[in-house]
Amino acid sequence: MPKPVNFLTLAILSISILTIMAASAVSPALSAIKEAFLETSDTAIKMVMTLPSLVMIPFSLLSGWMTTRINKKGLVIVGMIVYLVFGIGGAFATTFTQLLICRACFGVSIGILMPLSNTLIFDLVEKDRQSSVMGLSVSSNQIGGILFLSIAGMLAGISWRYCFAVYLLVLLSLCLVAWKLPSMPPVRKADTLKTDAHPARVRLNWKIFAIAFLAMVSSACLFVVYTDLALYIQQEKPLFSSEVGLVSDRATLQKQLAENQVGEELAANFAQQGITISPQASIKEIQPRQEWLIKSGMQEYHIRKTDNALQVTRSLGTAEMAGYALSLMGIPAAIAGFILAFLLKRMGYYLLPLAALLMAGGYMLLGYADSYLLILCSVLFIGLSGGLLSSPLMLLVPKVLSPQARSLGIAIVSSFILLGQFVSPFYTNGISWLTGYGDFRSKFLTVTVTLLVFAIGGCVYIFSNQRPLRHTFLA
């Protein structure tokens, strides 16, 4: 007889779906947002994703403090309402400043919800099921990412404003939480020490900050792909220039535009440059007599008329393709969540450097990718490793802190994860400025080196420790 559906677990996991992937859900639309606000720099455009992470940090800490004084269920519902209002509010922004204000307020909601999504697991789930449910939480994050990014990628192809409609999914979670999550008054000393009913005193130690720092590094490395992939895929690379026309006359070009097909002559001229496009590839005019766009399979070619030549460039994909690639990351990450408990039992701490090595390999492959297929392969490695990195660190929190300090400890680790997301573009841009190499390949290789140092340092620590570290996950 099949087990009945545990709606309480579903309610907890639905909160996880809303948190980690929420800020990056609009990443497929970054290029379109850049076109809508042409005077805005690339770094400022990335703040559409990173600003929520910065705002989340103080409110994540505040959330941990508020759980000692406010009913957790009420706090979750308030966070979801703020999430809904300012999540979809970005679609109605008429200036870039208004958009950033909406994103900042949206960050407030995630800051409230993110620590609670983990705290509720330790509060409401049996101890022997916590590691498996934590793995399911990772999977829920990634499944949410697949939903958010797939839908956002399709909507970005219509308008960047439509991307924000994905945040309407919070309504499903809100209904589930209101229905099944129990009321959870704050923990007080009288509940644990049989003394006066004052909020329990919280004590922290240095170990929680060591865990938080590792979480920040892994988060900063993982988030690079979300801030840079859409811009990387749509970045145009010069292919060739021609001082003569690529078709025989204007009438031939008009016929091709009317039929939305390139035709044999234009395909042959591309073939002379070593570029294969199908005669059935589509062509459309972007600016009359100035710019044309050819789509052949998964490739896009731009033809622009300058003073004395035609300039031909190529991009690796579109906003929709960036959304599909980012959503594809969620599949191996979700699988990692399902098998996390098994891997922790077999590998323990060795899982952390292994995951860092996998992510380093993914970023190295991404840095040298010259086709959309290689990009898809690279994000599979990055997604798998991302699903294996965060939960083992979070599972250590209740082992280094008392139950009274657990919510605040999780809030601290969550805040450092968010801090990693915010500093991610500044870290890669800073290294690019120091080295003089500002291209995307250099940024991805910077992340590769960072992860290799992380993995080597983890291996050295494990080998130098005399007791089997894997048992700390199982104690």
Side-chain angles (χ1 to χ4, degrees):
M1 182 177 179
K3 293 182 179 180
V5 177
N6 190 329
F7 286 102
L8 174 60
T9 301
L10 288 179
I12 297 172
L13 295 180
S14 71
I15 303 172
S16 296
I17 292 178
L18 303 176
T19 55
I20 296 291
M21 306 301 299
S24 59
V26 297
S27 59
L30 286 184
S31 184
I33 294 174
K34 170 66 176 175
E35 293 178 3
F37 303 100
L38 293 175
E39 73 284 356
T40 309
S41 67
D42 286 349
T43 301
I45 289 295
K46 292 178 184 179
M47 288 189 69
V48 173
M49 287 178 56
T50 59
L51 183 60
S53 300
L54 178 64
V55 177
M56 288 180 218
I57 296 171
F59 283 92
S60 181
L61 293 171
L62 185 61
S63 175
W65 174 82
M66 285 190 295
T67 57
T68 64
R69 289 161 172 79
I70 301 175
N71 189 296
K72 291 180 182 177
K73 180 176 181 178
L75 199 57
V76 170
I77 292 176
V78 169
M80 287 185 171
I81 293 173
V82 177
Y83 185 105
L84 174 64
V85 172
F86 291 101
I88 63 175
F92 302 98
T94 57
T95 67
F96 190 70
T97 300
Q98 291 177 1
L99 179 58
L100 289 183
I101 291 173
C102 286
R103 297 299 285 171
C105 295
F106 179 70
V108 172
S109 67
I110 307 179
I112 294 173
L113 293 173
M114 188 175 177
L116 289 169
S117 67
N118 291 305
T119 300
L120 292 174
I121 294 176
F122 297 116
D123 289 340
L124 300 175
V125 178
E126 300 85 353
K127 187 174 181 179
D128 60 345
R129 293 182 58 238
Q130 287 177 359
S131 61
S132 61
V133 175
M134 186 65 76
L136 290 176
S137 176
V138 174
S139 299
S140 298
N141 286 335
Q142 304 308 323
I143 292 171
I146 295 172
L147 289 173
F148 278 111
L149 292 169
S150 297
I151 297 173
M154 291 185 289
L155 295 175
I158 304 173
S159 169
W160 65 267
R161 295 183 183 276
Y162 289 179
C163 269
F164 296 92
V166 299
Y167 296 124
L168 290 171
L169 292 173
V170 70
L171 291 173
L172 297 176
S173 182
L174 180 59
C175 293
L176 195 56
V177 165
W179 175 38
K180 278 296 179 182
L181 198 68
S183 178
M184 300 179 64
V187 177
R188 298 180 182 274
K189 277 187 177 181
D191 301 327
T192 56
L193 302 180
K194 305 300 181 183
T195 61
D196 57 332
H198 293 287
R201 187 173 182 179
V202 173
R203 295 182 183 276
L204 301 176
N205 57 57
W206 66 269
K207 294 179 182 178
I208 191 65
F209 294 100
I211 295 171
F213 176 76
L214 294 176
M216 182 187 71
V217 173
S218 63
S219 174
C221 292
L222 177 62
F223 209 65
V224 170
V225 72
Y226 292 105
T227 57
D228 286 11
L229 187 64
L231 298 173
Y232 176 55
I233 284 182
Q234 295 182 266
Q235 176 184 240
E236 295 181 21
K237 299 180 179 180
L239 294 179
F240 67 92
S241 62
S242 175
E243 296 182 356
V244 297
L246 297 176
V247 293
S248 56
D249 52 51
R250 179 69 182 173
T252 302
L253 176 60
Q254 290 296 338
K255 180 181 178 182
Q256 293 175 354
L257 291 172
E259 297 176 350
N260 196 27
Q261 283 191 0
V262 166
E264 298 287 348
E265 181 183 7
L266 186 53
N269 285 327
F270 268 71
Q272 291 178 3
Q273 303 293 331
I275 303 170
T276 301
I277 62 173
S278 169
Q280 284 73 45
S282 65
I283 180 173
K284 67 176 181 179
E285 195 169 45
I286 305 299
Q287 295 183 22
R289 297 176 178 265
Q290 294 294 324
E291 182 180 356
W292 301 266
L293 174 65
I294 295 175
K295 289 187 178 182
S296 179
M298 293 188 294
Q299 302 287 346
E300 283 193 348
Y301 301 90
H302 288 264
I303 305 175
R304 292 183 177 86
K305 186 177 181 180
T306 60
D307 293 336
N308 53 7
L310 293 172
Q311 303 290 336
V312 180
T313 60
R314 183 190 71 177
S315 59
L316 293 174
T318 63
E320 296 95 323
M321 294 166 69
Y324 297 147
L326 290 171
S327 63
L328 181 64
M329 285 179 57
I331 297 176
I335 295 173
F338 287 119
I339 63 175
L340 180 64
F342 171 81
L343 293 177
L344 287 176
K345 290 179 181 178
R346 297 296 184 273
M347 301 180 65
Y349 273 167
Y350 291 94
L351 184 62
L352 295 175
L354 174 62
L357 287 174
L358 285 175
M359 189 179 292
Y363 272 109
M364 179 172 287
L365 180 60
L366 183 61
Y368 288 96
D370 59 357
S371 69
Y372 186 64
L373 181 60
L374 286 179
I375 289 175
L376 294 180
C377 292
S378 65
V379 299
L380 287 175
F381 283 105
I382 297 172
L384 176 63
S385 55
L388 295 175
L389 274 176
S390 60
S391 288
L393 293 171
M394 196 66 74
L395 283 169
L396 290 176
V397 174
K399 301 183 183 302
V400 301
L401 295 176
S402 66
Q404 291 77 27
R406 192 163 55 198
S407 293
L408 182 57
I410 291 174
I412 290 173
V413 176
S414 300
S415 298
F416 272 70
I417 290 174
L418 300 170
L419 179 61
Q421 293 179 5
F422 179 76
V423 303
S424 177
F426 296 100
Y427 170 64
T428 54
N429 289 341
I431 296 296
S432 297
W433 178 77
L434 289 174
T435 60
Y437 296 97
D439 59 298
F440 285 105
R441 175 178 295 178
S442 298
K443 293 180 180 180
F444 296 147
L445 293 181
T446 296
V447 178
T448 300
V449 173
T450 302
L451 289 165
L452 289 175
V453 172
F454 181 80
I456 294 171
C459 288
V460 170
Y461 178 76
I462 291 172
F463 291 141
S464 63
N465 197 290
Q466 296 181 358
R467 68 189 184 90
L469 294 178
R470 70 185 183 93
H471 294 299
T472 58
F473 284 107
L474 308 176

